[in-house]
Amino acid sequence: MADSHQTTDASEPTRLKRGFFQTLELDTRLLGMIAAFLLIAIVFNILTGGRFLTPRNVFNLTIQTVSVAIMATGMVFVIVNRHIDLSVGALLGTVSAIMAMTQTNILPNMLGLELGSPLIAPIAIFVGLIAGVVIGSFHGWLIGYLTIPAFIVTLGGLFVWRNVAWHLTKGQTIGPLDGNFVSLGGIDGTLGETGSWILAVIAAAFILYLFFNARRKKVAHGFPVKPMWAEVLIAGIALVAIFGFVWTLNSYQVPVRRLARMFEARGEVMPEGYTEGYGVPFSVLLLIAVATVMTIIAQQTRLGRYIFATGGNPEAAMLSGINTRLLTVKIFAIVGFLCALSAVVASARQNFHSNDIGTLDELRVIAAAVIGGTALSGGIGTIYGAILGALIMQSLQSGMAMVGVDAPYQNIVVGIVLVFAVYIDIIYRKRTGD
Amino acid sequence: MVDRSGIPLCELRDMQKAFGGIRAVDHVSMDLFPGEVVGVLGHNGAGKSVLMKMLSGAYERDGGQILINGEEADINNPREARKYNIETIYQTLALADNLDASSNLFLGRELVTGLGLVNDPKMEAETRKIMARLNPNFRRYSTPVAGLSGGQRQSVAIARAVYFNAKILIMDEPTAALGVEETAMVAELIHELKKQGIGIFLIDHDIHQVKNLCDRASVMKNGRLVGTVEVDKVTEDDILGMIILGKNPGEIAA
């Protein structure tokens, strides 16, 4: 590369000779992951005789992915910054225990809040988020200011928080949880068909705005832009994906008996022949919100810029006046916050807190981030990649379960896929020189 | 000729820094006037880089004073040094390889929009302006700097120092990794910056280059200052004698 800059500079004006994918300016890694996901979906759909891509299974797959995906977005920051967090599953367990105790014992019994009060869920979640941020910040402080390696701090954290959860609950399962709280778990809280369509329209409008705005800014500064057909094609694919996803989730019908009970509960009689689809679960809304905010942090804020800069060259970041110690605290505080959110989703999905909740999640979360293209050497990683990584892993596991592969064999396959995915990524980076 | 009758732009007084038992910088004083280039010379391990890193805030000093325009400056970290318009081009360039040129140029000083988000288009436009002056052939604005050639990386590092209106510039072996043509470009830039009244501390091993570019040379050996000479009044051998033997011109014969 040393003396190649003349030729590369000179080749800039010859934009005509670019290939189809170069013109689209899409991240080829993203394309690869989407292709891998589609391949998995199609293969399992064939193997299961069409059961894999039913609305019901897509719905289940989606809500099973949320908890790991939320934490994986935080893991991206940690790994990009050249750290690791082995404690996310254990932290999830402790926060889940705290929230379960808050809503079933502390609030109703000690503070006299009536069971079923609309205040219970928000207060329990707030307490959980505070606990997550405090514990995460403490990890960050140990790593950033006391310079104990993240591997050790979070390995210790894994032992500590897994068993603090056990201590808090005396090893008992706590449930059932508050009704409003449980609506964040998946099937017990969805937008319904109309709400989901409205969401799809809002999402589509937002995507179009992003495309339009990015192009307008480039034109305003006189930077080169993609040809119009490329923009239209990419935006079109995005819109089809959004509406297709919502249509699929809307096609998953709520059982008639359950609908009848819902009408009964409101003191009404269900009209003859009434049907309703589940639509988009609240937990998926939460994931979309997390993904959006985390992407904005990564790409559009100083905090995100500093996380990536420090991952790319810690010394350069320090010499640029970036407080890398405080940065470490902030990153682990974010992870703590996200673990708490995942704790909400995970415990709400099963409607109780159990002793083993989140067990081995740390490995799933790290694997999701790494399959999603996050480099363990630091400086490289994307939020959407981590979410796709989580989805790919969950698809593999559910697909194998549907085909009848026993859990231990599933884990063997997932392990092999993880190693293989990273190898593919290494080859890809060598080729592209990233 | 540089006018050295007024107040120095930058004065380092009695600077000290030790690492464990080793005195890396041992009571060293230097000064720098507007429009002047002072060469900071010495063997590896003589303490030049450590001295300069105390000025740029990368190291906290154990003792001594930094005076900017005659007033004591409180510099304990890179952020504070930047407040005094002290900019540094490090030998390692200190670039984040995974970020593009404009993200590196503005690292730690990002331009933001009204919402507090980083304004990438604006930063890229500014980067294009400064690069048009420093390296007119440069086109690779959306590539991570890891993919740039040595000369291109160097020009990004220089652009970062020049863009923010440095008054005092520290250059740590700016041409060590460069070819002939690029070295000439850096020399030309140094002349231009001199004319603007910027003071430059130049760490360099190339005696010939020091004779060409510097007004004075301060030589260090084993953490101590050997002496400061006006390069026009001494020979290259005199300077080499200071570096190697640690003796000022005239002392050697005696």
Side-chain angles (χ1 to χ4, degrees):
Chain A
M1 286 305 287
D3 54 357
S4 68
H5 68 284
Q6 238 89 21
T7 49
T8 44
D9 281 352
S11 72
E12 272 288 309
T14 60
R15 285 183 171 276
L16 297 172
K17 274 195 291 181
R18 304 170 76 191
F20 178 71
F21 286 111
Q22 271 108 40
T23 314
L24 292 179
E25 284 177 33
L26 277 180
D27 181 357
T28 39
R29 186 181 283 118
L30 171 65
L31 289 178
M33 279 189 285
I34 291 174
F37 172 64
L38 291 179
L39 183 73
I40 290 168
I42 291 167
V43 167
F44 278 120
N45 201 42
I46 294 167
L47 290 179
T48 57
R51 279 188 300 133
F52 190 81
L53 286 177
T54 54
R56 176 191 152 90
N57 194 48
V58 171
F59 185 93
N60 285 332
L61 200 58
T62 312
I63 60 176
Q64 284 163 357
T65 304
V66 172
S67 171
V68 166
I70 287 176
M71 289 189 282
T73 62
M75 190 62 77
V76 172
F77 283 4
V78 172
I79 297 178
V80 162
N81 200 41
R82 299 193 180 188
H83 291 305
I84 194 78
D85 193 338
L86 300 173
S87 68
V88 291
L91 187 49
L92 182 152
T94 288
V95 174
S96 168
I98 290 172
M99 289 190 297
M101 291 171 65
T102 305
Q103 58 191 289
T104 58
N105 188 16
I106 295 172
L107 289 177
N109 295 344
M110 295 185 184
L111 297 174
L113 217 59
E114 211 177 310
L115 269 178
S117 159
L119 285 175
I120 285 184
I123 293 175
I125 292 169
F126 182 72
V127 170
L129 292 175
I130 296 288
V133 169
V134 168
I135 296 171
S137 306
F138 178 61
H139 286 172
W141 177 74
L142 291 174
I143 297 161
Y145 285 87
L146 303 193
T147 66
I148 308 169
F151 189 95
I152 299 303
V153 169
T154 59
L155 182 62
L158 168 60
F159 284 112
V160 171
W161 303 117
R162 173 56 57 203
N163 296 298
V164 165
W166 172 86
H167 170 79
L168 290 174
T169 61
K170 301 188 177 63
Q172 290 168 332
T173 295
I174 300 180
L177 299 177
D178 174 76
N180 294 321
F181 187 86
V182 166
S183 71
L184 287 168
I187 197 138
D188 289 311
T190 60
L191 277 175
E193 289 184 36
T194 316
S196 299
W197 284 126
I198 292 172
L199 174 74
V201 171
I202 292 171
F206 183 64
I207 293 276
L208 288 179
Y209 165 78
L210 286 185
F211 271 82
F212 178 76
N213 201 34
R215 192 178 172 88
R216 190 179 56 85
K217 271 191 189 160
K218 277 192 176 177
V219 172
H221 284 92
F223 300 160
V225 289
K226 288 178 246 187
M228 202 59 192
W229 66 262
E231 302 264 23
V232 171
L233 181 67
I234 296 169
I237 292 172
L239 295 192
V240 167
I242 289 170
F243 282 97
F245 180 62
V246 167
W247 176 76
T248 311
L249 294 181
N250 274 346
S251 306
Y252 182 29
Q253 297 293 321
V254 183
V256 178
R257 254 179 295 165
R258 186 184 167 123
L259 278 175
R261 272 205 304 276
M262 283 162 63
F263 273 91
E264 252 171 57
R266 277 183 282 171
E268 298 167 26
V269 179
M270 188 172 79
E272 195 65 30
Y274 179 85
T275 61
E276 173 73 38
Y278 278 105
V280 179
F282 295 147
S283 63
V284 173
L285 273 186
L286 186 65
L287 174 59
I288 294 171
V290 165
T292 309
V293 171
M294 289 293 279
T295 303
I296 290 172
I297 291 176
Q299 297 181 352
Q300 301 285 321
T301 67
R302 287 182 165 170
L303 174 63
R305 186 71 35 103
Y306 297 167
I307 291 171
F308 278 82
T310 307
N313 187 345
E315 201 201 346
M318 224 146 57
L319 293 173
S320 299
I322 295 168
N323 186 342
T324 50
R325 298 175 164 209
L326 185 60
L327 186 69
T328 308
V329 176
K330 286 179 186 170
I331 292 167
F332 280 87
I334 290 173
V335 172
F337 183 87
L338 295 172
C339 285
L341 281 184
S342 288
V344 173
V345 173
S347 61
R349 190 161 82 84
Q350 52 186 34
N351 196 13
F352 52 83
H353 164 81
S354 60
N355 218 7
D356 67 341
I357 193 166
T359 302
L360 287 183
D361 267 8
E362 45 281 328
L363 302 184
R364 292 193 191 102
V365 167
I366 292 168
V370 169
I371 288 177
T374 310
L376 281 169
S377 51
I380 297 169
T382 57
I383 301 300
Y384 62 74
I387 294 172
L388 258 173
L391 186 61
I392 287 173
M393 286 221 314
Q394 189 60 49
S395 307
L396 264 178
Q397 276 197 306
S398 321
M400 285 189 289
M402 288 175 81
V403 177
V405 179
D406 291 330
Y409 295 117
Q410 293 176 22
N411 288 335
I412 290 176
V413 173
V414 169
I416 293 170
V417 167
L418 172 65
V419 174
F420 188 65
V422 171
Y423 178 59
I424 297 269
D425 202 47
I426 289 170
I427 295 176
Y428 170 81
R429 284 202 181 121
K430 269 188 191 155
R431 289 250 172 102
T432 57
D434 265 2
Chain B
M1 271 306 288
V2 177
D3 174 20
R4 277 190 285 269
S5 59
I7 300 168
L9 180 59
C10 173
E11 199 181 340
L12 303 173
R13 267 191 208 162
D14 208 26
M15 301 287 280
Q16 297 148 49
K17 179 76 185 174
F19 296 104
I22 298 167
R23 290 181 181 174
V25 173
D26 194 4
H27 301 277
V28 173
S29 301
M30 278 183 199
D31 54 8
L32 179 69
F33 287 83
E36 185 180 34
V37 180
V38 172
V40 184
L41 313 181
H43 280 310
N44 290 328
K48 337 179 273 293
S49 287
V50 175
L51 179 69
M52 288 299 119
K53 280 190 169 173
M54 286 191 276
L55 177 57
S56 69
Y59 287 150
E60 266 183 77
R61 61 186 183 279
D62 295 341
Q65 285 175 302
I66 300 172
L67 283 79
I68 307 293
N69 292 322
E71 284 176 32
E72 188 162 359
D74 187 25
I75 296 173
N76 300 300
N77 60 49
R79 206 168 270 277
E80 286 169 352
R82 285 176 164 191
K83 270 191 238 155
Y84 291 101
N85 295 93
I86 299 167
E87 295 289 338
T88 310
I89 300 165
Y90 291 97
Q91 189 178 6
T92 55
L93 302 184
L95 299 173
D97 280 342
N98 54 334
L99 302 183
D100 62 20
S102 73
S103 299
N104 267 296
L105 201 152
F106 286 93
L107 190 57
R109 291 180 280 203
E110 288 76 9
L111 303 176
V112 291
T113 64
L115 291 170
L117 302 177
V118 293
N119 193 343
D120 280 318
K122 173 91 176 150
M123 287 193 281
E124 186 177 328
E126 290 296 306
T127 307
R128 280 172 188 262
K129 268 190 229 163
I130 183 94
M131 290 303 272
R133 215 179 98 203
L134 294 176
N135 188 351
N137 290 326
F138 190 82
R139 296 281 181 281
R140 308 184 66 191
Y141 291 98
S142 48
T143 321
V145 295
L148 305 182
S149 71
Q152 289 174 327
R153 290 162 59 84
Q154 185 84 37
S155 59
V156 173
I158 291 175
R160 175 164 60 185
V162 175
Y163 178 82
F164 292 97
N165 300 316
K167 299 250 162 51
I168 298 163
L169 193 57
I170 302 165
M171 297 174 115
D172 193 347
E173 298 201 46
T175 58
L178 298 185
V180 177
E181 202 179 315
E182 287 152 336
T183 302
M185 190 195 88
V186 171
E188 198 182 307
L189 177 73
I190 289 175
H191 282 301
E192 192 192 324
L193 295 173
K194 263 173 73 90
K195 272 187 226 150
Q196 294 170 17
I198 293 168
I200 299 173
F201 279 120
L202 178 67
I203 298 180
D204 212 320
H205 280 123
D206 183 342
I207 296 296
H208 188 63
Q209 189 155 293
V210 168
K211 284 283 281 178
N212 280 338
L213 292 176
C214 297
D215 300 288
R216 287 185 295 159
S218 292
V219 180
M220 290 177 70
K221 188 174 168 67
N222 298 332
R224 298 221 174 102
L225 183 73
V226 175
T228 300
V229 291
E230 294 185 34
V231 292
D232 289 348
K233 299 185 178 162
V234 294
T235 63
E236 286 188 16
D237 284 346
D238 288 337
I239 297 174
L240 281 173
M242 293 171 78
I243 294 171
I244 297 166
L245 303 172
K247 294 195 189 299
N248 282 303
E251 283 179 13
I252 299 168

